[in-house]
Each structure stands twice: as structure tokens, then as C-alpha cells.
Amino acid sequence: MNNGCKKYIPFQQITLPDRTWPQKTITAPPVWCSVDLRDGNQALIDPMNLEEKLDFFKLLVDVGFKEIEIGFPSASETEYEICRALIERDLIPEDVTIQVLVQAREHLIRKTFDAIHGAKNVIVHFYNSTSTLQRKVVFKKEMDGIVDIAVEAAKLIRELTEKEIAETGMNIRYEYSPESFSGTEMENAVLICDKVLDALGATPENKVILNLPDTVEMCTPNTFADQIEYCIRNIKGRKNAIISVHPHNDRGTGVAATELSLLAGAERVEGTLFGNGERTGNVDIVTLAMNMYSQGVDPQLDFSNIHHVRDVYERCTSMKVPPRQPYAGDLVFTAFSGSHQDAIKKGVDYMKTHESPFWEVPYLPIDPADVGREYEPIIRINSQSGKGGAAFVMQQAFGFQLPKAMHPEFGTVVKAACDEAGRELMPQEVYNLFSKEYLEVNFPYNLKAYKLYEENEDEEAENAEGGTAVHFEGNLRFRHEDHKVSAVGNGPIDAFFRALEQVNIKDYTFVAYQEHAISRGADSKAVSYIHLKDPQGKDAFGVGIDSNISMASIKGIICAINRAAK
Ligand code: KIV
Ligand code: ZN
């Protein structure tokens, strides 16, 4: 980029060598304030209409927000009407405080008071920009002039509030934001905050919210934490204030900056669901809350149905939650890597066998079920996947534990299908190949009817080897002709092999078999893998599934013989 970076002025950190925040941890949630309906809304290509805002408001209430910035009622007629609709339609629960934003300008403040008339609990949030850069290039004013604007606004807001309280008994609180706080000299930020606290008559009983915005994220998150700790230490009226932060995400570290500012003493956080907001967005409250949750801290917000939260958000804002969005994205509880899948499975098994009360699963920071989701292993097979790849899919996705000796044969079938398709195969496609190759093989031999039973116990019949004799009777169709076969053996497989001799199927050698239970749908069945040598000495594999374990083996034998005949 041809040294273009030299035109940027590096951020000047403040000096705070005795900072205390790095030693702290987050042990309790902050007061959350959603600014979705204001900061989030103002950053939409098509701002929400009345019905959308009301739906979103209901979602925020359901999630558990107690402070909700509903808009900028003095900015437009639509915003004004939305505020009135919430109040007049009585849509604001008793324990929820609505917040309205207004610039520190007289006519806008007066209009804002008209808009909130009759609401039970309101925070009047006023702001003016204090940043070094904006003072230089936008306002062309010294800091004194900026302080005057804030103080004049504070006095007017106090006067209108006292009048409104006297007349209506409304509960009105104050919030002041030195906008672009993180781009302001800290002495100036402290100065203006103290002046505003005084002008508003803040007391420990009637605290004012001092909202310190990271309006544009300017440096690594530790610098913001230093700024917050500096202000908390130096604002004289600190005990009369609730320290709030309002981080944006320009450097992609809004969540980190917020978390560090909480360590530094911030008590309240303003942000949005999924981080919607100006430019790169406001801080994402879902991520903040779920990060706390994953550390054993109850965030006091309910994201147990994240799909619903996401659906309402996407419908009302026309924004999309990206697939890798923490906790909510489509792919965040998905494992692509085989070794990750293996470790996850082992973690889940460990929790079961040890009855662990804790979440101890590698690669999944939280239990997906806590946000109403499921872990999803994605197993993809391509022509490079190797002989065991297809067997791995059969095991992970469908529970079939193919014997090692079968892996190369089935691997070759899958590889040929990949080559033919010229792409990766999804697990269901691998299963379909398995089914076609092993489970749907009924020609030239087809076992139409069969019966297996042991010798009557009273007769205590024993065969030559001393085991209980087993009878097999069946109707075996060869090509298009049915043959009745029956034989006795020292076990079901032996009896069946002897019966097969009656239709001239001989010289197959039994090499090995393996079986296990498998749950397909509601019922549990047995699957049997049969390994034979055909009369020419070649390997022949077959698979049988049945609710009876002996019949599963017999089906597996017929399958192997049919495949060898093919
Ligand atoms: O980002 C910001 O500084 C704001 C203020 C109005 C609080 O949105
Ligand atoms: Zn903002």
C-alpha cells in the first residue's frame, strides 16, 4: 500500500502505570441497555417502520432488557410517533425504562419532552461531541464552548424534568454522553462530566448515567480500559454517577474493549443484538452476555432461543447474522475437522460416564443446547479422503462400525462416486452408496421366508460338538425360482450354510463376522458384517440388518454371496 499508513497519527495512550483492571475478573453482569432501536436503527439502509420497531421492542423485553433506547424522537416525525405509540398503546412493562436520545440543543430537548409525556420510566439521554478532532475540524470551538453547550442543555433538561415530575409524577432519570469520549483528552472528559453532574444536581440517591462512548474505536482495547479507570478515579462526582460504556467496533475489538472496561469499573453497557450499528456496528450484547455465561456468570438476559432472537432481528432489520457470528451463526457449533469431531465425541462420552456436572467438551465453549441449538459434525468426503474416510462418515453420521477389512472395498466405491460426481459427497450420499452396495442386494439369491429355532429343550438334543442344535428352514429364490431349504447345525450360521448346500452353494469359507446394535429411528436393530472367501479364494463382504441378531448374520451371508456372484 505504498507506505500509505504514514498518514495516520498513532493513538496517544494515557499514562496509568498503576492501573488495577488487569488483575480483575468479571463476576456480575452490568446493567444492559439496548440501543438497537436507535443506534442500530439509524444505521439501517431502510430504518424499521412502526410495526417492526414494536416487534423488536417486544423481543428486547422478552430477552430481559430493563433499559431500552427507543429512538431519537426529536429527529423525525416517524421517530416521534413510535415513541408515542409505545406510550399510548401501553406497551412498556412497569419494570422497563425507555430511553430517548437528544442532542444538547434547546428546541430538540423541548420536542423530546413532548414525546415522552405520560411514560412511567424514562431516561433522557443527551450528548454533545467533545473530541479533540471534532473540536478542531467540526465545531471550531475551544473546550470551554463545548462545556457550555453541555451545561446549558443539562440545566434545561433539569428544569423540564422537575416540571414534568411535579405535574405527572413521571420517573425521569438523566444520561449524558461526551460523544467521541475515547478521542477526547481525558482531563477534558473528566471536566465536562463533573460540570454536567453539577448542573443536573446529581446525588448518590439520584445518580446520573455518565455514558462514555468509544464512538470510534481507535486503539487496542486496553487503552479504552485505561481511559475508563482514569475517569472513574478522577471524576469528583463519581459517587453520584453510574459509569456506562457505549463501545463501537471499528477495529473489530468492541467486545474485548467492553470486557476490559468492565474490569476497569464500568457498571452499565450500551450495545445491540449481533452488533448492528453505525459502520462496523455497536458492541454485540449477545456475545458479551454469552461470554459471561460461559464463565459461570448469569448475564440476566435470556438467549435460550437464539434462533427466535435471530429470526426477529433479521426480519425487522433486513440484516443477516453471518455464519461465524459467535453463538448465533449457522456454523459456530459445527465441526469440520475429524480430530475436532473425535475430541468432541470423547468429551461428551466423558461427561456421561463421569456424570460430570460441568461442561467438559473440547472445541465447544458452551453447550449448544443452552441457546437452543445442536452440535453438528460435518463430515465431507472427497476423492482424497483415504480408505478410512467413508467408514468414518458411516460411523460418525450413521453409527455403522465397519470392520477394518471392509474399509478399502467401501472406500473404493465412494472414491469412484466422488470422481464421477467431480465434487465432495455429503454424508447422506455416502450412506446411499453404502445402502445400494450392501443393503439392497437381493439378486441372484433372495431369502423370501425363513425360520430359525432351537431343538426342543425337553429332548435335550445335542449335536456332535455338544452345542444345542439349531434348525433353519427357508424359501430361497434363485433368479426366478423358489427353493425350499432346511438344515440343522450347531448354530444359526452353521445351519444356514448347510441349507445353502441344498441349492449347490458351497465352497464359501467363513472368515469373520462382527456385529453391533444400531438405532435407526425409534427401534434398535442389529447389524452384522460378514467376511467370506468365495470359491476362488476372493474376499466377499456382506452386511445384514435385522431386529434378530442371527437373522442379521444370515442376511449378511446372502449379501456377501450375491455380491461375489455379481
Ligand atoms: O456512538 C456514540 O457516541 C453515540 C452517542 C450518541 C452515545 O451513539
Ligand atoms: Zn453509538
Side-chain angles (χ1 to χ4, degrees):
M1 288 183 276
N2 220 4
N3 242 355
C5 62
K6 295 292 176 228
K7 68 172 173 272
Y8 298 105
I9 308 163
F11 184 78
Q12 290 302 304
Q13 280 185 246
I14 59 167
T15 315
L16 197 68
D18 57 344
R19 59 178 68 78
T20 61
W21 61 262
Q23 306 308 326
K24 306 215 169 129
T25 48
I26 297 171
T27 55
V31 173
W32 301 109
C33 174
S34 153
V35 294
D36 289 87
L37 302 177
R38 196 278 299 173
D39 223 349
N41 186 54
Q42 78 187 42
L44 294 175
I45 294 173
D46 291 317
M48 289 179 247
N49 62 28
L50 175 67
E51 290 315 314
E52 288 163 343
K53 263 209 182 185
L54 297 185
D55 281 358
F56 208 123
F57 180 81
K58 179 171 183 315
L59 172 74
L60 295 169
V61 169
D62 291 347
V63 161
F65 285 94
K66 300 295 175 210
E67 296 184 3
I68 301 174
E69 190 164 85
I70 57 165
F72 210 142
S74 62
S76 71
E77 270 319 295
T78 324
E79 288 282 281
Y80 187 92
E81 272 163 25
I82 288 166
C83 180
R84 291 310 308 158
L86 279 165
I87 298 166
E88 283 162 20
R89 295 188 199 175
D90 205 9
L91 298 173
I92 309 162
E94 291 280 304
D95 62 346
V96 170
T97 300
I98 56 163
Q99 177 168 312
V100 285
L101 182 72
V102 62
Q103 280 174 6
R105 293 170 67 185
E106 184 183 343
H107 70 290
L108 300 179
I109 292 170
R110 289 189 187 281
K111 177 124 198 223
T112 303
F113 273 81
D114 290 344
I116 61 172
H117 184 76
K120 185 163 187 292
N121 302 307
V122 184
I123 296 170
V124 176
H125 176 191
F126 67 109
Y127 73 96
N128 64 329
S129 179
T130 55
S131 84
T132 323
L133 181 62
Q134 293 209 43
R135 288 189 337 251
K136 183 168 99 177
V137 304
V138 184
F139 309 117
K140 305 197 169 60
K141 263 193 180 30
E142 295 302 319
M143 191 60 200
D144 286 354
I146 303 292
V147 173
D148 286 348
I149 293 172
V151 168
E152 286 313 307
K155 285 183 187 158
L156 177 62
I157 287 171
R158 186 175 177 183
E159 181 195 317
L160 295 175
T161 299
E162 284 169 0
K163 187 164 164 272
E164 192 73 57
I165 291 176
E167 283 172 9
T168 65
M170 281 169 68
N171 173 20
I172 302 179
R173 291 157 59 208
Y174 309 126
E175 172 171 338
Y176 171 66
S177 292
E179 202 240 59
S180 298
F181 156 81
S182 52
T184 306
E185 309 84 339
M186 284 301 105
E187 320 76 72
N188 282 335
V190 167
L191 171 85
I192 200 164
C193 285
D194 266 323
K195 295 276 187 203
V196 167
L197 288 179
D198 285 348
L200 290 171
T203 63
E205 293 71 42
N206 273 315
K207 292 188 186 196
V208 167
I209 299 166
L210 279 183
N211 186 48
L212 307 178
D214 206 2
T215 304
V216 178
E217 223 187 8
M218 307 184 110
C219 197
T220 48
N222 58 309
T223 57
F224 185 59
D226 278 354
Q227 291 176 322
I228 299 299
E229 183 163 340
Y230 177 94
C231 284
I232 287 178
R233 287 198 211 170
N234 290 285
I235 291 173
K236 289 192 200 67
R238 191 304 165 231
K239 62 178 186 320
N240 304 328
I242 294 165
I243 303 298
S244 175
V245 289
H246 175 111
H248 279 261
N249 190 39
D250 297 78
R251 296 169 50 90
T253 54
V255 166
T258 309
E259 290 179 333
L260 300 193
S261 72
L262 290 172
L263 301 181
E267 301 158 292
R268 182 178 184 272
V269 171
E270 292 191 351
T272 57
L273 299 184
F274 310 117
N276 181 37
E278 290 279 9
R279 308 178 306 282
T280 50
N282 287 71
V283 69
D284 170 18
I285 289 190
V286 179
T287 302
L288 282 173
M290 292 311 300
N291 283 358
M292 282 179 202
Y293 183 87
S294 75
Q295 299 301 304
V297 175
D298 180 353
Q300 307 276 313
L301 291 178
D302 183 354
F303 292 115
S304 58
N305 188 350
I306 200 83
H307 281 307
H308 172 68
V309 175
R310 197 179 121 166
D311 285 351
V312 177
Y313 166 82
E314 291 189 339
R315 180 166 49 76
C316 294
T317 63
S318 302
M319 298 288 288
K320 282 266 162 276
V321 171
R324 304 227 179 258
Q325 178 81 17
Y327 306 105
D330 280 342
L331 293 180
V332 300
F333 297 114
T334 302
F336 287 85
S337 145
S339 65
H340 291 199
Q341 290 165 1
D342 184 52
I344 291 169
K345 187 175 175 306
K346 288 187 172 134
V348 171
D349 291 348
Y350 173 90
M351 282 182 60
K352 269 192 208 136
T353 51
H354 290 73
E355 291 179 6
S356 172
F358 300 109
W359 181 248
E360 297 185 277
V361 179
Y363 297 108
L364 294 179
I366 65 156
D367 181 352
D370 289 353
V371 285
R373 302 196 52 186
E374 273 177 17
Y375 160 62
E376 205 186 336
I378 294 279
I379 310 154
R380 298 189 303 193
I381 287 292
N382 58 32
S383 52
Q384 311 303 311
S385 293
K387 306 239 180 312
F392 183 72
V393 172
M394 290 303 296
Q395 176 173 359
Q396 293 284 307
F398 305 104
F400 286 80
Q401 297 158 23
L402 273 57
K404 267 241 155 16
M406 265 180 84
H407 290 192
E409 180 182 274
F410 185 50
T412 308
V413 170
V414 173
K415 183 177 181 325
C418 279
D419 286 341
E420 196 183 324
R423 59 171 174 83
E424 292 174 343
L425 297 187
M426 296 308 286
Q428 189 57 48
E429 293 175 294
V430 175
Y431 178 84
N432 294 348
L433 287 170
F434 179 81
S435 175
K436 191 157 168 245
E437 189 66 31
Y438 298 103
L439 305 181
E440 301 161 29
V441 196
N442 296 316
F443 197 81
Y445 297 100
N446 191 355
L447 192 55
K448 300 297 288 177
Y450 41 80
K451 198 160 124 196
L452 264 179
Y453 56 94
E454 286 188 7
E455 200 79 62
N456 189 337
E457 275 175 19
D458 301 342
E459 295 170 19
E460 288 187 353
E462 287 198 346
N463 58 24
E465 282 83 38
T468 309
V470 174
H471 289 251
F472 175 86
E473 287 174 16
N475 183 355
L476 186 66
R477 176 170 291 182
F478 175 59
R479 298 196 187 277
H480 303 291
E481 250 178 63
D482 288 346
H483 300 267
K484 288 216 174 319
V485 289
S486 66
V488 186
N490 60 15
I493 293 178
D494 185 46
F496 184 58
F497 264 111
R498 287 173 197 262
L500 288 181
E501 285 175 14
Q502 295 169 3
V503 284
N504 230 6
I505 301 177
K506 32 181 131 146
D507 299 330
Y508 278 89
T509 331
F510 192 83
V511 180
Y513 95 112
Q514 211 168 293
E515 69 193 16
H516 61 81
I518 190 162
S519 296
R520 314 261 317 132
D523 56 349
S524 174
K525 291 194 167 176
V527 55
S528 178
Y529 308 92
I530 301 291
H531 182 182
L532 306 179
K533 288 270 184 208
D534 75 3
Q536 286 74 44
K538 287 217 264 162
D539 289 316
F541 295 99
V543 181
I545 299 181
D546 200 278
S547 46
N548 176 303
I549 195 144
S550 303
M551 277 320 301
S553 298
I554 285 170
K555 285 182 176 174
I557 293 168
I558 282 288
C559 168
I561 291 171
N562 275 334
R563 293 186 68 249
K566 201 168 68 168

